[in-house]
Amino acid sequence: IEINLEKQEINVGELKNYIEPNVINNVKTSPDMKDYRENRTTMVYYYKDKNGEFVLKINVSPEKYENTTGNNI
């Protein structure tokens, strides 16, 4: 997934804190992700800057998306 900024403009910690809960929620609730959830698949999201340079990797394991307490991180 591409972020429309250059790597040096990105605070990776803030980005992760902002994006990860949304990604987990999408995996938990999206009908398109149902087969992945049923097969307990770990999804890995790679984020890169607008120049294609790696910025962040987010792993969404079954333990994260099957968690129903709301504390997913």
Side-chain angles (χ1 to χ4, degrees):
I1 301 169
E2 186 176 304
I3 300 166
N4 195 26
L5 295 169
E6 291 188 355
K7 187 173 183 173
Q8 64 267 21
E9 299 174 272
I10 299 168
N11 180 317
V12 176
E14 285 183 19
L15 179 66
K16 182 177 181 188
N17 289 339
Y18 177 76
I19 291 178
E20 188 172 41
N22 294 308
V23 170
I24 293 169
N25 187 58
N26 182 60
V27 172
K28 278 180 144 180
T29 61
S30 172
D32 293 336
M33 303 301 279
K34 181 181 180 206
D35 290 336
Y36 297 105
R37 289 191 303 269
E38 288 176 352
N39 288 295
R40 302 195 80 242
T41 303
T42 295
M43 274 65 73
V44 182
Y45 296 83
Y46 290 91
Y47 292 84
K48 59 185 179 176
D49 74 359
K50 67 181 184 180
N51 299 316
E53 190 171 340
F54 173 80
V55 174
L56 175 67
K57 176 176 127 178
I58 296 178
N59 290 304
V60 183
S61 65
E63 292 77 21
K64 288 183 179 177
Y65 60 77
E66 291 174 347
N67 180 347
T68 59
T69 64
N71 184 11
N72 299 318
I73 299 175

